[in-house]
C-alpha cells in the first residue's frame, strides 16, 4: 500500500487536536480520552464503508494500521464491523468524538484555522477525505460510494445544526449559546452514553460501559428478549433473585448468604456468551454488586507477554481497568494450554487469582470457551476450581432459533425476506443446525449468511435501471439461496 502522506499528517494533526480538547475543560471527568474516542470512531467509520462484494480485506486492514496507527487483523476488523456497524441507527448517529469537537468549538476556547474552518468542520472534511481514500484503495463500488455519501450527510447536517458548517475568518473565535442535538445522537452537554474503547497495539482491552439512562428492568427485559438461551436465563434469574434477597437482608442487618459471582460460560462459538456477559455487567451495576458496571473483554493476547515478569504487569493493568465491573476472558483455556516452561500463561493465572481475592468486593471474573476445554482449564488449578464453581452452559441454537436470529438481524438492517425467501431460510438454517459441522458458529453463522444474502441482493439490483424502496428492502429466494455443504443435507 502506498501511503498518502498528506492524509496521514492530517490524521496525526487531528489526534493532537483531540488531545487539546481532552485537556481543555470541556470534557467531563472520567470520560475516555478524545484521542481514543476519535480513533474508535474512525475505525467504526471505515468498517461501515467496507464492502465485502468487491474488496480485498488485506488492503483495508493495512489501511487501518497505516493511517490510524492501530494494530488490526482480518478477524478483528470483520468482528468489529458485524458487531458495531450493521444496524439501521448507525447511519443516523453522529460520531461521539465529533460532539466533543463541536462542544470545544462552541465553548469559546477554540478558534478557526488558517482556512477559516472550525475544528469540527476540519474533522468532517478529514472523515470525507479519509473515506474516499479508503474506498478508492480497492476500486470503489456503488454501495461504498452510497455509504460514504450518506454518512457524510449525517455529519454535515449535524454541523449545520451547530452553526459550524460555514467557514469564517481565520483565527476568529467561535461561540454559540446552545448546541442542537437530534434524536439518536450523543448528548453534547457531556452526558455519558454506552462507549467502547478500541483494542489497539497499546494493549487496551475492549471496554463496554453502562448506559445510565436505563433501569434494571430495562436490562432484564433485554436479557429476556434474547432468542433461545432458556436454561441460561433461568440460571441467571435465580442468581439475580439471590442477590436481591441478599441486598434485602443486608439492609435489615441480617446475615447474608454466600453467593458465587465468578462464573464459567461454556459452549460453542456464537451462542451468546459475550452478549450475555455485557448485559450481566449492567445488571450487576444496577444491583450494587459492582460500582461501575463496565465489561472488559480480553483474551490471551491481552494478558500474556513473552518475557519474564511482563505478563504479571500486563495482566494487573487489565485487571485494574476491570475493577468496578466484570472481566470477561474469552478462550481462557489457552492460558493453561502451554506445557513448556517458556509459556507465561500460568503467570497470568496466578496474578488473576491473587487479584480476585484482593478485589473480591468490586470485581467479577467470567471465563469463557468451549465446554470440554473450559472443564480442563478449571481442573488444571485448585485455585481456579475453588473460585469458578458455577458453570453456565450455552447450548447450540435450533434451526427455528437461528431463523428468529436471522429475521431479527435483517429487520435491524431494514431488510425483509419475501414468502419464498423466508421459507427457504427456515429450511436452510434448520438443515445447517442439524448438520452442525466443526466450522458451524451458531449466531455468527447466521450473521455471515445474512451478509452473503445482502451481497447477492446488491449484485442483482445494481443491474437494474430503476430500483424502488421496496426492492431495496426485500430479499428474494434468489438472494438467500446458498450452496449446501454436501448432499446429505
Amino acid at each position: 500500500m502506498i501511503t498518502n502522506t498528506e492524509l496521514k499528517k492530517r490524521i496525526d494533526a487531528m489526534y493532537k487536536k483531540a488531545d487539546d480538547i481532552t485537556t481543555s475543560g470541556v470534557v467531563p471527568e472520567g470520560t475516555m480520552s478524545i484521542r481514543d474516542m476519535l480513533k474508535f470512531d474512525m475505525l467504526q467509520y471505515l468498517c461501515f464503508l467496507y464492502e465485502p462484494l468487491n474488496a480485498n480485506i488485506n488492503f483495508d486492514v493495512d489501511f487501518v494500521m497505516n493511517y490510524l496507527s492501530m494494530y488490526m487483523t482480518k478477524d478483528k476488523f470483520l468482528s468489529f464491523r458485524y458487531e458495531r456497524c450493521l444496524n439501521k441507527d448507525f447511519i443516523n448517529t453522529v460520531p461521539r468524538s465529533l460532539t466533543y469537537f463541536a462542544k470545544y468549538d462552541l465553548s469559546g476556547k477554540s478558534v478557526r484555522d488558517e482556512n477559516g474552518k472550525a475544528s469540527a468542520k476540519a474533522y468532517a472534511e478529514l472523515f470525507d477525505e479519509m473515506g474516499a481514500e479508503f474506498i478508492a484503495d480497492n476500486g470503489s463500488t456503488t454501495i461504498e460510494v452510497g455509504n460514504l455519501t450518506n454518512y457524510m450527510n449525517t455529519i454535515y447536517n449535524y454541523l449545520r445544526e451547530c452553526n459550524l458548517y460555514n467557514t469564517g475568518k481565520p483565527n476568529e473565535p467561535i461561540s454559540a449559546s446552545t448546541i442542537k442535538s437530534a434524536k439518536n445522537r450523543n448528548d453534547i452537554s457531556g452526558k455519558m452514553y454506552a462507549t467502547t474503547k478500541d483494542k489497539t497495539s497499546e494493549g487496551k482491552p475492549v471496554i463496554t460501559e453502562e448506559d445510565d439512562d436505563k433501569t434494571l428492568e430495562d436490562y432484564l427485559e433485554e436479557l429476556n428478549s434474547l432468542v433461545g438461551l432458556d436454561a441460561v436465563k433461568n440460571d441467571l434469574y435465580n442468581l439475580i433473585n439471590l442477590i436481591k434477597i441478599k441486598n434485602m437482608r443486608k439492609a435489615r442487618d441480617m446475615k447474608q448468604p454466600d453467593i458465587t459471582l465468578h462464573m464459567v460460560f461454556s459452549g460453542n462459538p456464537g451462542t451468546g456468551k459475550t452478549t450475555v456477559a455485557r448485559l450481566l455487567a449492567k445488571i450487576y451495576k444496577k444491583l450494587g454488586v459492582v460500582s461501575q458496571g463496565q465489561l472488559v473483554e480480553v483474551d490471551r493476547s491481552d494478558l500474556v507477554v513473552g518475557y519474564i515478569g511482563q505478563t504479571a504487569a500486563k495482566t494487573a493493568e487489565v485487571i485494574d481497568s476491570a475493577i468496578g465491573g466484570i472481566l470477561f476472558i474469552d478462550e481462557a483455556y489457552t492460558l493453561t494450554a502451554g506445557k513448556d516452561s517458556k509459556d507465561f500463561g500460568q503467570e497470568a493465572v496466578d496474578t488473576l487469582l491473587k487479584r480476585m481475592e484482593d478485589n473480591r468486593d468490586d470485581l467479577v471474573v467470567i471465563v469463557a470457551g468451549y465446554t470440554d476445554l473450559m472443564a480442563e482449564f478449571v481442573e488444571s488449578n485448585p485455585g481456579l476450581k475453588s473460585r469458578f464453581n458455577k458453570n453456565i452452559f450455552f447450548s447450540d441454537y435450533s434451526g427455528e432459533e437461528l431463523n428468529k436470529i436471522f429475521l431479527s438481524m435483517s429487520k435491524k438492517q431494514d431488510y425483509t425476506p419475501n414468502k419464498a425467501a423466508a421459507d427457504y431460510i427456515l429450511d436452510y438454517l434448520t438443515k445447517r443446525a442439524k448438520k452442525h459441522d466443526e466450522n458451524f458458529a451458531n449466531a455468527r453463522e447466521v450473521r455471515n449468511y445474512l451478509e452473503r444474502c445482502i451481497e447477492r441482493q446488491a449484485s442483482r439490483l445494481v443491474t437494474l435501471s430503476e430500483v424502488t424502496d421496496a426492492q431495496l428492502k426485500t430479499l428474494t429466494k434468489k438472494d438467500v439461496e446458498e450452496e449446501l455443504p454436501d448432499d446429505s443435507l
Side-chain angles (χ1 to χ4, degrees):
M1 171 182 287
I2 300 175
T3 302
N4 181 332
T5 55
E6 287 303 314
L7 176 59
K8 183 66 168 66
K9 287 179 181 178
R10 290 183 62 193
I11 292 173
D12 291 340
M14 199 59 65
Y15 282 157
K16 292 179 181 177
K17 176 64 70 174
D19 292 338
D20 291 340
I21 295 172
T22 298
T23 59
S24 67
V26 302
V27 182
E29 186 176 348
T31 305
M32 67 188 294
S33 75
I34 304 304
R35 175 187 283 254
D36 284 342
M37 196 183 297
L38 172 61
K39 188 175 288 189
F40 168 80
D41 286 336
M42 285 180 168
L43 174 60
Q44 188 166 242
Y45 170 52
L46 296 180
C47 287
F48 171 70
L49 294 181
Y50 169 76
E51 173 51 51
L53 188 63
N54 192 43
N56 181 340
I57 192 172
N58 292 321
F59 280 101
D60 299 321
V61 169
D62 286 345
F63 189 101
V64 171
M65 292 195 288
N66 287 344
Y67 286 97
L68 304 190
S69 302
M70 179 185 299
Y71 175 74
M72 186 57 54
T73 65
K74 290 188 289 186
D75 288 342
K76 289 179 180 179
F77 183 88
L78 291 174
S79 177
F80 195 93
R81 166 180 162 80
Y82 294 140
E83 293 178 9
R84 302 289 177 185
C85 308
L86 297 184
N87 65 76
K88 63 182 180 181
D89 290 328
F90 180 84
I91 192 65
N92 298 315
T93 303
V94 174
R96 185 165 176 249
S97 55
L98 175 57
T99 67
Y100 285 106
F101 273 74
K103 184 176 181 181
Y104 177 66
D105 284 336
L106 294 167
S107 68
K109 299 180 179 182
S110 175
V111 296
R112 299 184 187 276
D113 65 14
E114 64 274 13
N115 297 312
K117 297 172 186 173
S119 297
K121 180 69 179 296
Y123 173 113
E125 292 185 356
L126 173 62
F127 265 57
D128 208 344
E129 182 182 348
M130 180 175 64
E133 184 82 13
F134 178 78
I135 65 176
D137 266 352
N138 276 324
S140 56
T141 66
T142 302
I143 296 174
E144 287 174 328
V145 172
N147 287 343
L148 173 61
T149 301
N150 291 332
Y151 193 79
M152 291 313 303
N153 281 340
T154 295
I155 287 180
Y156 283 129
N157 285 338
Y158 179 76
L159 295 185
R160 291 186 182 97
E161 292 177 2
C162 298
N163 297 318
L164 294 171
Y165 182 82
N166 295 323
T167 58
K169 297 177 181 179
N171 301 319
E172 178 186 30
I174 304 169
S175 63
S177 57
T178 59
I179 301 174
K180 299 177 183 178
S181 182
K183 185 179 181 181
N184 291 329
R185 293 176 179 167
N186 295 320
D187 183 353
I188 200 167
S189 65
K191 188 174 185 179
M192 296 298 293
Y193 279 72
T195 65
T196 302
K197 291 184 180 177
D198 54 70
K199 187 184 264 187
T200 72
S201 58
E202 283 115 17
K204 295 179 181 177
V206 177
I207 304 178
T208 306
E209 298 175 353
E210 180 198 11
D211 182 346
D212 283 330
D213 278 356
K214 294 186 177 182
T215 65
L216 173 61
E217 288 68 30
D218 291 330
Y219 290 128
L220 291 175
E221 179 56 33
E222 282 188 47
L223 177 62
N224 189 54
S225 67
L226 296 176
V227 174
L229 304 177
D230 290 343
V232 172
K233 294 173 187 175
N234 186 61
D235 284 344
L236 292 180
Y237 285 141
N238 287 338
L239 179 59
I240 290 165
N241 289 335
L242 278 172
I243 293 171
K244 288 179 177 179
I245 294 300
K246 181 178 180 178
N247 289 343
M248 288 182 192
R249 293 176 66 89
K250 181 179 180 180
R252 301 178 191 185
D253 293 326
M254 301 172 67
K255 291 184 178 180
Q256 301 152 46
D258 290 329
I259 300 175
T260 299
L261 298 177
H262 306 302
M263 286 179 281
V264 177
F265 280 8
S266 63
N268 289 325
T271 49
K273 296 186 291 295
T274 305
T275 299
V276 169
R278 289 171 183 162
L279 275 174
L280 193 59
K282 298 167 184 176
I283 290 169
Y284 275 1
K285 165 66 186 303
K286 294 299 181 183
L287 289 171
V289 173
V290 292
S291 61
Q292 302 298 321
Q294 79 276 24
L295 179 81
V296 179
E297 304 170 40
V298 299
D299 56 25
R300 176 188 168 92
S301 66
D302 297 300
L303 304 174
V304 177
V305 182
Y307 301 96
I308 295 175
Q310 291 191 4
T311 290
K314 189 174 184 181
T315 302
E317 182 180 353
V318 169
I319 294 171
D320 286 340
S321 70
I323 299 298
I326 292 179
L327 176 60
F328 181 85
I329 307 176
D330 196 18
E331 297 180 340
Y333 50 81
T334 59
L335 294 174
T336 56
K339 303 300 182 182
D340 58 60
S341 59
K342 295 182 180 180
D343 186 86
F344 297 100
Q346 188 58 51
E347 188 177 338
V349 171
D350 294 340
T351 303
L352 176 66
L353 291 174
K354 183 179 186 303
R355 292 296 299 277
M356 286 172 68
E357 180 62 27
D358 294 344
N359 302 105
R360 60 184 179 276
D361 294 331
D362 204 16
L363 173 68
V364 174
V365 179
I366 296 176
V367 290
Y370 290 100
T371 303
D372 292 345
L373 293 174
M374 288 309 298
E376 292 179 12
F377 169 73
V378 172
E379 291 291 335
S380 70
N381 185 307
L384 291 172
K385 188 173 183 179
S386 65
R387 288 170 176 81
F388 294 104
N389 57 13
K390 186 169 186 60
N391 190 328
I392 306 292
F393 174 67
F394 289 69
S395 60
D396 294 319
Y397 290 109
S398 67
E400 184 176 348
E401 289 169 342
L402 293 174
N403 185 60
K404 289 180 179 178
I405 292 171
F406 182 97
L407 295 177
S408 175
M409 288 180 175
S410 59
K411 183 178 179 180
K412 287 179 180 178
Q413 298 182 52
D414 237 357
Y415 289 94
T416 303
N418 63 20
K419 178 64 167 59
D423 290 343
Y424 178 91
I425 292 165
L426 175 59
D427 182 62
Y428 171 76
L429 291 176
T430 298
K431 289 176 179 177
R432 291 291 289 125
K434 289 180 179 178
K435 174 66 177 176
H436 204 147
D437 57 37
E438 62 181 6
N439 296 318
F440 188 74
N442 288 280
R444 294 179 196 169
E445 180 86 6
V446 175
R447 184 180 61 201
N448 294 338
Y449 173 45
L450 173 59
E451 182 78 11
R452 295 192 296 272
C453 293
I454 292 172
E455 290 172 11
R456 286 190 286 266
Q457 189 230 40
S459 297
R460 177 174 57 83
L461 294 181
V462 78
T463 62
L464 303 180
S465 57
E466 294 184 6
V467 180
T468 66
D469 289 352
Q471 287 174 314
L472 285 171
K473 293 181 178 181
T474 301
L475 295 174
T476 67
K477 185 178 179 183
K478 184 177 181 180
D479 300 328
V480 303
E481 284 181 326
E482 189 102 341
E483 287 188 22
L484 300 175
D486 57 54
D487 293 337
S488 66
L489 293 182

